[in-house]
Amino acid sequence: MHRMQKKVWADFRKRFDRSNLTRIYHRWTAIATLRQGTDSVTSYYLKMKDLWDEQYVIVPLASCDCKESRPSVELLKNIHLLQLLMGLKESYHNIRSNVLAKRSMSTVNEAYAIVAQE
């Protein structure tokens, strides 16, 4: 029985690993092209967050809090911040510039809070 389960899982992995790259591509495209448009800041942020959450399902983050994984996690946090700022309306130009000019990089949640206050 154990051998049969292994074979089923191997077949399952083969079938879905091929589609993962396509799913990742579509998720990244959706993230890269998402713009605030006529949405409120909150609505835009929630759409972006949903896309990030879907991405985590496809490509989970490292589950350890080890020293080796911290740079990757920090990089991803910075990428998310930049993605959020890139899609904001042009009327948020000054806020975007202020967030980017800060000495210590803001988190996505901090940036969202700053923009939402405007």
Side-chain angles (χ1 to χ4, degrees):
M1 183 68 171
H2 180 62
R3 189 194 268 174
M4 178 66 115
Q5 286 176 334
K6 248 180 143 173
K7 186 176 185 214
V8 169
W9 277 111
D11 289 343
F12 182 78
R13 213 175 290 116
K14 278 182 194 173
R15 189 172 336 141
F16 289 101
D17 276 351
R18 286 187 204 138
S19 68
N20 271 353
L21 194 55
T22 301
R23 290 173 63 200
I24 292 166
Y25 170 82
H26 288 294
R27 218 43 73 234
W28 273 94
T29 301
I31 290 168
T33 58
L34 183 63
R35 299 292 179 260
Q36 181 184 0
T38 58
D39 288 340
S40 69
V41 172
T42 300
S43 178
Y44 164 65
Y45 171 75
L46 291 174
K47 286 178 183 178
M48 186 67 81
K49 189 169 176 346
D50 285 346
L51 290 170
W52 291 328
D53 290 345
E54 289 174 25
Q55 189 72 22
Y56 290 144
V57 170
I58 301 168
V59 183
L61 287 175
S63 59
C64 71
D65 187 25
C66 52
K67 183 179 178 181
E68 292 79 19
S69 69
R70 285 186 192 136
S72 297
V73 171
E74 286 303 311
L75 175 63
L76 190 57
K77 287 179 182 180
N78 289 336
I79 288 170
H80 285 177
L81 174 63
L82 296 173
Q83 289 168 335
L84 181 76
L85 295 174
M86 286 169 39
L88 288 172
K89 287 189 239 184
E90 194 54 38
S91 60
Y92 291 106
H93 172 75
N94 289 339
I95 295 170
R96 181 176 30 244
S97 295
N98 291 341
V99 169
L100 291 170
K102 289 175 90 176
R103 281 202 152 191
S104 62
M105 190 60 88
S106 298
T107 66
V108 169
N109 290 337
E110 289 170 346
Y112 163 69
I114 291 167
V115 175
Q117 284 178 344
E118 287 299 312

